[in-house]
Amino acid sequence: MSTRNRLLFFLIAWLIVLMPFLFWWSTWFGRHLSDTQITEYLNDDKHPRHIQHALVQLGERMARQDAGATRWYPQLLRLASHPVEEVRNTDAWVMGQDTSTAAFHETLLKMLKDSSPMVSGNAALSLVRFDDAAGRPQIVALLQPASIVAPVGGRVIDMDKAGTSVRQGGLIAKVQNGERTTEIRTPTTGRIRALSVTTGATVAVGTQVASVDPGSEQVWEALRALYLVGQIEDLPAIRIYERNVPEIPDRLRQQALLTEKAIRERARHQP
């Protein structure tokens, strides 16, 4: 191998290693941000991932009761109506880190009506920190499969498989209408429970194409919240996770049992 080809080989190998690292570095929320960077990122509407990065770091400061974090509170209130779902979702979690701020409480109550079930669910979980059970129905919904429907009519040209693990925003199916192809994505992380249509089928707007079981972390947070605010009528949704089956992790099963016990104990003391 000539010197030129050897150098070219090493350059390509170096780029193969460097590019994934640079991508990871630019998207990793654990990378420390200075105060100036947090301000810049919170206002970077062209890059929602930057906003999320700043929100995560700000939430960590708030959890440590860092008084300096209050300078960005007006931004948190503004971001509650951001057009990007992931930003609103993270924002709802962050506002739950400071229960002394009445404006956060009021904003989270409004976010219970968000069009995204993940945002309204996260707002409901944060409200429990305020000792407010107004979002209990949204929390119970977090335990149940999400129904994935077709936003447009057309012919299904691609479908994922039942049992596949999916991330929030993951592709479930594609629908073709004329020359236009629409991607159908899951609003939640979890596992595809069942498919309601097959590739090649024609669907109308609003037709259910799949259902997705919630992910373990979502179930865990919902069960912990219902431990505090759950009612007797919530037990059917909770008992699903008390089953001794392989797909339900032991920690979820134990938490479900503890949650039912707490609800029954609370019901005994209610007038």
Side-chain angles (χ1 to χ4, degrees):
M1 183 182 295
S2 66
T3 300
R4 179 177 176 277
N5 288 341
R6 192 161 49 244
L7 290 174
L8 183 61
F9 173 79
F10 284 124
L11 176 61
I12 293 173
W14 180 72
L15 288 174
I16 290 173
V17 174
L18 178 64
M19 294 308 293
F21 171 78
L22 291 177
F23 175 79
W24 169 80
W25 180 252
S26 65
T27 58
W28 179 48
F29 291 162
R31 179 166 57 88
H32 175 73
L33 299 177
S34 66
D35 287 1
T36 300
Q37 287 176 313
I38 288 179
T39 300
E40 291 176 354
Y41 276 31
L42 288 175
N43 289 284
D44 190 358
D45 289 329
K46 292 183 179 179
H47 300 93
R49 293 283 296 181
H50 281 180
I51 300 176
Q52 284 184 278
H53 188 166
L55 285 172
V56 169
Q57 298 245 325
L58 186 53
E60 292 173 353
R61 290 194 185 193
M62 293 164 64
R64 297 195 302 267
Q65 298 183 333
D66 183 347
T70 57
R71 77 184 77 172
W72 293 292
Y73 281 10
Q75 294 286 64
L76 297 185
L77 298 173
R78 177 183 68 84
L79 292 171
S81 57
H82 194 276
V84 176
E85 175 185 343
E86 290 80 6
V87 170
R88 301 196 309 277
N89 195 32
T90 307
D91 191 42
W93 168 75
V94 171
M95 284 191 284
Q97 304 306 306
D98 184 354
T99 58
S100 67
T101 303
F104 288 170
H105 190 182
E106 295 170 5
T107 301
L108 288 167
L109 286 170
K110 295 176 182 177
M111 294 178 81
L112 290 178
K113 299 179 181 179
D114 195 281
S115 59
S116 163
M118 294 306 298
V119 175
S120 61
N122 231 10
L125 292 173
S126 285
L127 281 169
V128 173
R129 292 174 173 266
F130 287 85
D131 197 24
D132 188 334
R136 185 172 62 83
Q138 287 86 347
I139 296 173
V140 174
L142 292 175
L143 296 175
Q144 300 166 342
S147 176
I148 312 301
V149 301
V152 298
R155 186 170 64 90
V156 179
I157 60 173
D158 191 20
M159 286 287 293
D160 210 330
K161 296 179 180 179
T164 302
S165 295
V166 289
R167 301 285 299 175
Q168 182 180 3
L171 184 64
I172 298 292
K174 293 181 181 179
V175 173
Q176 189 173 56
N177 189 330
E179 296 183 355
R180 181 183 177 186
T181 299
T182 301
E183 295 181 341
I184 303 177
R185 297 182 175 274
T186 172
T188 181
T189 294
R191 186 180 299 274
I192 298 177
R193 179 189 186 94
L195 301 176
S196 306
V197 298
T198 58
T199 301
T202 299
V203 297
V205 176
T207 301
Q208 178 172 306
V209 299
S211 60
V212 176
D213 283 330
S216 293
E217 287 307 312
Q218 177 175 313
V219 172
W220 172 255
E221 293 298 337
L223 289 173
R224 292 204 306 162
L226 291 175
Y227 179 92
L228 299 172
V229 302
Q231 299 295 323
I232 289 293
E233 54 265 37
D234 304 332
L235 291 181
I238 294 168
R239 285 177 180 149
I240 293 173
Y241 298 95
E242 296 178 6
R243 296 173 298 159
N244 188 15
V245 292
E247 58 266 28
I248 298 178
D250 186 62
R251 71 165 185 152
L252 293 188
R253 186 162 50 251
Q254 293 301 321
Q255 183 60 56
L257 291 168
L258 290 172
T259 298
E260 176 170 353
K261 181 179 179 181
I263 289 173
R264 291 193 174 282
E265 186 66 24
R266 190 159 50 246
R268 290 194 194 96
H269 294 87
Q270 289 176 344

